[in-house]
Short mmCIF file of all heavy atoms in Angstrom, two decimals:
data_model
loop_
_atom_site.label_atom_id
_atom_site.label_comp_id
_atom_site.label_asym_id
_atom_site.label_seq_id
_atom_site.Cartn_x
_atom_site.Cartn_y
_atom_site.Cartn_z
N LYS E 99 20.81 11.62 -28.81
CA LYS E 99 20.25 10.44 -28.23
C LYS E 99 19.18 10.80 -27.20
O LYS E 99 19.38 11.92 -26.51
CB LYS E 99 21.35 9.60 -27.61
CG LYS E 99 22.34 9.14 -28.67
CD LYS E 99 23.29 8.04 -28.08
CE LYS E 99 24.11 7.54 -29.23
NZ LYS E 99 25.07 6.55 -28.86
N ILE E 115 32.28 7.56 -25.14
CA ILE E 115 31.85 8.08 -26.40
C ILE E 115 30.41 7.79 -26.78
O ILE E 115 29.69 8.58 -27.32
CB ILE E 115 32.85 7.61 -27.51
CG1 ILE E 115 32.48 8.23 -28.92
CG2 ILE E 115 32.84 6.15 -27.68
CD1 ILE E 115 33.56 8.04 -29.92
N LEU E 116 29.96 6.59 -26.44
CA LEU E 116 28.60 6.15 -26.77
C LEU E 116 27.56 7.02 -26.05
O LEU E 116 26.46 7.30 -26.52
CB LEU E 116 28.33 4.74 -26.33
CG LEU E 116 28.42 3.63 -27.42
CD1 LEU E 116 28.21 2.32 -26.78
CD2 LEU E 116 27.41 3.90 -28.54
N HIS E 123 31.05 14.96 -27.22
CA HIS E 123 31.20 13.77 -28.19
C HIS E 123 32.29 14.05 -29.16
O HIS E 123 33.13 13.17 -29.46
CB HIS E 123 29.90 13.44 -28.85
CG HIS E 123 29.97 12.39 -29.89
ND1 HIS E 123 30.14 12.65 -31.25
CD2 HIS E 123 30.11 11.01 -29.75
CE1 HIS E 123 30.25 11.57 -31.93
NE2 HIS E 123 30.33 10.58 -31.09
N ARG E 127 35.47 11.63 -29.74
CA ARG E 127 35.68 10.96 -31.06
C ARG E 127 37.06 11.37 -31.59
O ARG E 127 37.79 10.54 -32.19
CB ARG E 127 34.63 11.41 -31.96
CG ARG E 127 34.43 10.49 -33.19
CD ARG E 127 33.11 10.39 -33.70
NE ARG E 127 33.18 9.75 -35.03
CZ ARG E 127 32.53 8.64 -35.32
NH1 ARG E 127 31.81 8.07 -34.54
NH2 ARG E 127 32.71 8.15 -36.56
N MET E 130 39.78 9.29 -30.18
CA MET E 130 39.70 7.88 -30.47
C MET E 130 39.97 7.57 -31.98
O MET E 130 40.54 6.54 -32.28
CB MET E 130 38.38 7.32 -30.03
CG MET E 130 38.25 7.16 -28.57
SD MET E 130 36.76 6.43 -28.06
CE MET E 130 36.98 4.69 -28.42
N PHE E 134 41.55 4.12 -35.13
CA PHE E 134 40.65 3.31 -35.99
C PHE E 134 40.72 3.59 -37.51
O PHE E 134 39.79 3.27 -38.22
CB PHE E 134 39.19 3.47 -35.46
CG PHE E 134 38.93 2.88 -34.17
CD1 PHE E 134 39.00 3.63 -33.01
CD2 PHE E 134 38.67 1.51 -34.06
CE1 PHE E 134 38.74 3.07 -31.72
CE2 PHE E 134 38.43 0.90 -32.85
CZ PHE E 134 38.44 1.73 -31.70
N VAL E 185 39.51 -8.11 -29.46
CA VAL E 185 39.41 -6.68 -29.07
C VAL E 185 40.46 -6.40 -27.99
O VAL E 185 41.14 -5.31 -28.04
CB VAL E 185 38.05 -6.27 -28.69
CG1 VAL E 185 37.65 -6.65 -27.22
CG2 VAL E 185 37.77 -4.81 -28.90
N THR E 312 33.36 0.80 -23.00
CA THR E 312 32.58 0.93 -24.31
C THR E 312 33.19 -0.01 -25.34
O THR E 312 32.47 -0.78 -25.99
CB THR E 312 32.58 2.34 -24.78
OG1 THR E 312 32.10 3.18 -23.74
CG2 THR E 312 31.72 2.54 -26.00
N MET E 313 34.44 0.03 -25.50
CA MET E 313 35.15 -0.84 -26.57
C MET E 313 35.01 -2.27 -26.31
O MET E 313 34.85 -3.05 -27.23
CB MET E 313 36.55 -0.31 -26.71
CG MET E 313 36.66 0.83 -27.70
SD MET E 313 38.35 1.19 -28.08
CE MET E 313 38.98 1.58 -26.54
N ALA E 316 31.18 -2.70 -27.13
CA ALA E 316 30.75 -2.52 -28.55
C ALA E 316 31.61 -3.32 -29.41
O ALA E 316 31.18 -3.68 -30.53
CB ALA E 316 30.96 -0.96 -28.80
N GLY E 317 32.81 -3.61 -28.99
CA GLY E 317 33.75 -4.27 -29.91
C GLY E 317 33.68 -5.87 -29.90
O GLY E 317 34.25 -6.39 -30.76
N THR E 320 29.12 -7.36 -30.76
CA THR E 320 28.61 -7.03 -32.10
C THR E 320 29.30 -7.92 -33.18
O THR E 320 28.63 -8.57 -33.99
CB THR E 320 28.99 -5.62 -32.44
OG1 THR E 320 30.37 -5.42 -32.06
CG2 THR E 320 28.12 -4.59 -31.73
N THR E 321 30.61 -7.98 -33.13
CA THR E 321 31.36 -8.82 -34.09
C THR E 321 31.01 -10.28 -33.91
O THR E 321 30.84 -11.07 -34.91
CB THR E 321 32.82 -8.58 -33.99
OG1 THR E 321 33.06 -7.20 -33.66
CG2 THR E 321 33.55 -8.81 -35.31
N THR E 324 27.68 -11.03 -35.32
CA THR E 324 27.63 -10.99 -36.78
C THR E 324 28.24 -12.27 -37.32
O THR E 324 27.79 -12.84 -38.28
CB THR E 324 28.36 -9.78 -37.24
OG1 THR E 324 27.80 -8.54 -36.70
CG2 THR E 324 28.17 -9.62 -38.79
N LEU E 380 25.70 -8.50 -42.95
CA LEU E 380 25.49 -7.27 -42.19
C LEU E 380 24.19 -6.63 -42.57
O LEU E 380 23.48 -5.98 -41.79
CB LEU E 380 26.62 -6.28 -42.51
CG LEU E 380 28.01 -6.61 -41.90
CD1 LEU E 380 29.13 -5.84 -42.55
CD2 LEU E 380 27.96 -6.37 -40.34
N VAL E 385 23.20 -6.48 -36.30
CA VAL E 385 23.10 -6.83 -34.85
C VAL E 385 22.65 -5.58 -34.00
O VAL E 385 21.99 -5.81 -32.94
CB VAL E 385 24.41 -7.44 -34.27
CG1 VAL E 385 24.66 -8.73 -34.90
CG2 VAL E 385 25.53 -6.44 -34.46
N ALA E 386 22.86 -4.39 -34.44
CA ALA E 386 22.23 -3.24 -33.75
C ALA E 386 21.01 -2.86 -34.62
O ALA E 386 21.18 -2.26 -35.71
CB ALA E 386 23.23 -2.10 -33.65
N THR E 389 18.48 2.70 -33.73
CA THR E 389 19.07 3.69 -32.85
C THR E 389 17.90 4.63 -32.54
O THR E 389 16.96 4.81 -33.25
CB THR E 389 20.20 4.48 -33.59
OG1 THR E 389 19.72 4.85 -34.85
CG2 THR E 389 21.41 3.64 -33.82
N ARG E 391 16.67 8.42 -31.27
CA ARG E 391 17.02 9.91 -31.40
C ARG E 391 15.79 10.71 -31.03
O ARG E 391 14.68 10.23 -30.97
CB ARG E 391 17.47 10.20 -32.79
CG ARG E 391 18.77 9.57 -33.20
CD ARG E 391 19.98 10.09 -32.40
NE ARG E 391 21.31 9.61 -32.96
CZ ARG E 391 21.92 8.50 -32.64
NH1 ARG E 391 21.44 7.72 -31.78
NH2 ARG E 391 23.10 8.26 -33.21
N ILE E 428 17.15 0.28 -38.42
CA ILE E 428 18.22 -0.10 -39.28
C ILE E 428 17.87 -1.35 -40.05
O ILE E 428 18.05 -1.48 -41.23
CB ILE E 428 19.50 -0.38 -38.37
CG1 ILE E 428 19.99 0.95 -37.83
CG2 ILE E 428 20.57 -1.11 -39.17
CD1 ILE E 428 21.15 0.89 -36.84
N MET E 468 22.95 0.70 -43.30
CA MET E 468 22.84 1.46 -42.02
C MET E 468 23.41 0.66 -40.80
O MET E 468 23.30 1.20 -39.72
CB MET E 468 21.38 1.83 -41.76
CG MET E 468 20.86 3.14 -42.37
SD MET E 468 21.84 4.56 -41.70
CE MET E 468 21.11 4.78 -40.05
N THR E 469 23.94 -0.49 -41.14
CA THR E 469 24.35 -1.41 -40.06
C THR E 469 25.31 -0.76 -39.02
O THR E 469 25.27 -1.03 -37.88
CB THR E 469 24.90 -2.68 -40.64
OG1 THR E 469 23.97 -3.16 -41.62
CG2 THR E 469 25.20 -3.79 -39.62
N PHE E 470 26.21 0.06 -39.57
CA PHE E 470 27.18 0.72 -38.62
C PHE E 470 26.69 2.16 -38.40
O PHE E 470 27.51 3.00 -38.02
CB PHE E 470 28.52 0.82 -39.29
CG PHE E 470 29.19 -0.59 -39.47
CD1 PHE E 470 29.39 -1.16 -40.75
CD2 PHE E 470 29.65 -1.28 -38.34
CE1 PHE E 470 29.93 -2.49 -40.83
CE2 PHE E 470 30.25 -2.56 -38.46
CZ PHE E 470 30.37 -3.14 -39.68
N SER E 471 25.45 2.48 -38.66
CA SER E 471 24.85 3.77 -38.48
C SER E 471 25.55 4.71 -39.52
O SER E 471 26.15 4.23 -40.51
CB SER E 471 24.96 4.38 -37.14
OG SER E 471 24.21 5.57 -36.96
N ILE E 474 28.23 11.51 -38.19
CA ILE E 474 29.25 11.92 -37.02
C ILE E 474 29.19 10.93 -35.92
O ILE E 474 30.11 10.97 -35.09
CB ILE E 474 29.02 13.31 -36.53
CG1 ILE E 474 27.48 13.51 -36.24
CG2 ILE E 474 29.45 14.45 -37.48
CD1 ILE E 474 27.18 14.85 -35.59
N ARG E 475 28.21 10.06 -35.84
CA ARG E 475 28.15 9.14 -34.74
C ARG E 475 28.12 7.69 -35.27
O ARG E 475 27.71 6.78 -34.53
CB ARG E 475 26.83 9.24 -33.90
CG ARG E 475 26.64 10.68 -33.27
CD ARG E 475 26.01 10.62 -32.05
NE ARG E 475 26.78 9.83 -31.08
CZ ARG E 475 26.82 10.07 -29.81
NH1 ARG E 475 26.16 11.01 -29.29
NH2 ARG E 475 27.56 9.34 -28.97
N SER E 476 28.61 7.53 -36.48
CA SER E 476 28.71 6.19 -37.06
C SER E 476 29.71 5.38 -36.19
O SER E 476 30.57 5.89 -35.51
CB SER E 476 29.03 6.29 -38.54
OG SER E 476 30.40 6.86 -38.59
N CYS E 477 29.62 4.04 -36.43
CA CYS E 477 30.49 3.15 -35.73
C CYS E 477 31.96 3.44 -35.96
O CYS E 477 32.43 3.45 -37.11
CB CYS E 477 30.24 1.66 -36.11
SG CYS E 477 31.24 0.56 -35.31
N ILE E 478 32.73 3.63 -34.89
CA ILE E 478 34.10 4.03 -35.08
C ILE E 478 34.99 2.76 -35.40
O ILE E 478 36.00 2.86 -35.96
CB ILE E 478 34.57 4.63 -33.73
CG1 ILE E 478 35.69 5.62 -34.08
CG2 ILE E 478 34.90 3.67 -32.73
CD1 ILE E 478 35.98 6.54 -32.78
N GLY E 479 34.37 1.56 -35.05
CA GLY E 479 35.19 0.34 -35.18
C GLY E 479 34.75 -0.47 -36.46
O GLY E 479 35.08 -1.67 -36.48
N TRP E 480 34.09 0.18 -37.50
CA TRP E 480 33.56 -0.70 -38.58
C TRP E 480 34.66 -1.36 -39.34
O TRP E 480 34.52 -2.54 -39.70
CB TRP E 480 32.66 0.18 -39.44
CG TRP E 480 33.34 1.15 -40.29
CD1 TRP E 480 33.61 2.51 -39.98
CD2 TRP E 480 33.84 1.06 -41.65
NE1 TRP E 480 34.25 3.13 -41.02
CE2 TRP E 480 34.37 2.26 -42.04
CE3 TRP E 480 33.91 -0.02 -42.61
CZ2 TRP E 480 34.96 2.49 -43.26
CZ3 TRP E 480 34.45 0.17 -43.81
CH2 TRP E 480 34.94 1.42 -44.14
N PHE E 482 37.57 -2.25 -38.31
CA PHE E 482 38.09 -3.30 -37.30
C PHE E 482 37.11 -4.52 -37.40
O PHE E 482 37.63 -5.68 -37.48
CB PHE E 482 37.93 -2.60 -35.99
CG PHE E 482 38.55 -3.27 -34.83
CD1 PHE E 482 39.72 -2.74 -34.28
CD2 PHE E 482 38.06 -4.40 -34.23
CE1 PHE E 482 40.33 -3.30 -33.18
CE2 PHE E 482 38.59 -4.96 -33.18
CZ PHE E 482 39.77 -4.41 -32.58
N ALA E 483 35.82 -4.27 -37.45
CA ALA E 483 34.82 -5.37 -37.45
C ALA E 483 34.97 -6.17 -38.79
O ALA E 483 34.96 -7.35 -38.87
CB ALA E 483 33.45 -4.87 -37.31
N GLU E 486 38.06 -8.27 -38.96
CA GLU E 486 38.02 -9.40 -38.03
C GLU E 486 37.07 -10.42 -38.72
O GLU E 486 37.37 -11.66 -38.65
CB GLU E 486 37.39 -8.88 -36.76
CG GLU E 486 37.66 -9.74 -35.56
CD GLU E 486 37.01 -9.19 -34.28
OE1 GLU E 486 37.00 -7.97 -34.15
OE2 GLU E 486 36.72 -10.01 -33.43
N LEU E 487 36.04 -10.01 -39.26
CA LEU E 487 35.04 -10.97 -39.97
C LEU E 487 35.76 -11.63 -41.11
O LEU E 487 35.64 -12.84 -41.27
CB LEU E 487 33.80 -10.26 -40.39
CG LEU E 487 32.81 -9.81 -39.36
CD1 LEU E 487 31.78 -8.76 -39.85
CD2 LEU E 487 32.17 -11.04 -38.65
C1 HEM X 601 29.63 -6.00 -36.77
C2 HEM X 601 30.12 -5.20 -35.82
C3 HEM X 601 29.56 -3.93 -35.34
C4 HEM X 601 28.38 -3.31 -35.59
C5 HEM X 601 27.25 -3.86 -36.41
C6 HEM X 601 28.36 -2.01 -34.96
C7 HEM X 601 27.34 -1.07 -35.01
C8 HEM X 601 27.37 0.17 -34.37
C9 HEM X 601 26.27 1.17 -34.48
C10 HEM X 601 24.92 0.95 -35.15
C11 HEM X 601 26.72 2.23 -33.76
C12 HEM X 601 25.91 3.51 -33.55
C13 HEM X 601 25.18 3.47 -32.22
C14 HEM X 601 24.33 4.65 -31.92
O1 HEM X 601 24.46 5.71 -32.51
O2 HEM X 601 23.54 4.54 -31.01
C15 HEM X 601 28.00 1.99 -33.27
C16 HEM X 601 28.79 2.86 -32.57
C17 HEM X 601 30.06 2.57 -32.04
N1 HEM X 601 30.77 1.39 -32.23
FE1 HEM X 601 30.28 -0.20 -33.36
N2 HEM X 601 29.61 -1.83 -34.30
C18 HEM X 601 30.37 -2.94 -34.58
C19 HEM X 601 31.64 -3.16 -34.18
C20 HEM X 601 32.35 -2.30 -33.38
C21 HEM X 601 33.77 -2.53 -32.99
C22 HEM X 601 34.67 -3.76 -33.35
C23 HEM X 601 34.20 -1.53 -32.15
C24 HEM X 601 35.44 -1.19 -31.53
C25 HEM X 601 36.45 -1.98 -31.38
C26 HEM X 601 32.98 -0.57 -32.18
C27 HEM X 601 32.93 0.60 -31.44
C28 HEM X 601 31.98 1.51 -31.60
C29 HEM X 601 31.99 2.78 -30.87
C30 HEM X 601 33.08 3.30 -29.91
C31 HEM X 601 30.78 3.49 -31.12
C32 HEM X 601 30.29 4.87 -30.72
C33 HEM X 601 30.61 5.91 -31.84
C34 HEM X 601 30.15 7.27 -31.52
O3 HEM X 601 29.16 7.39 -30.79
O4 HEM X 601 30.79 8.19 -32.04
N3 HEM X 601 32.00 -1.15 -32.87
N4 HEM X 601 28.47 0.66 -33.70
#
Side-chain angles (χ1 to χ4, degrees):
K99 296 188 173 184
I115 185 169
L116 259 178
H123 174 260
R127 196 152 167 121
M130 288 181 76
F134 289 96
V185 81
T312 304
M313 272 187 298
T320 47
T321 326
T324 305
L380 288 165
V385 293
T389 51
R391 296 291 194 264
I428 292 178
M468 269 301 284
T469 308
F470 294 109
S471 190
I474 48 174
R475 302 215 61 147
S476 59
C477 176
I478 208 168
W480 71 271
F482 193 107
E486 201 176 331
L487 289 166

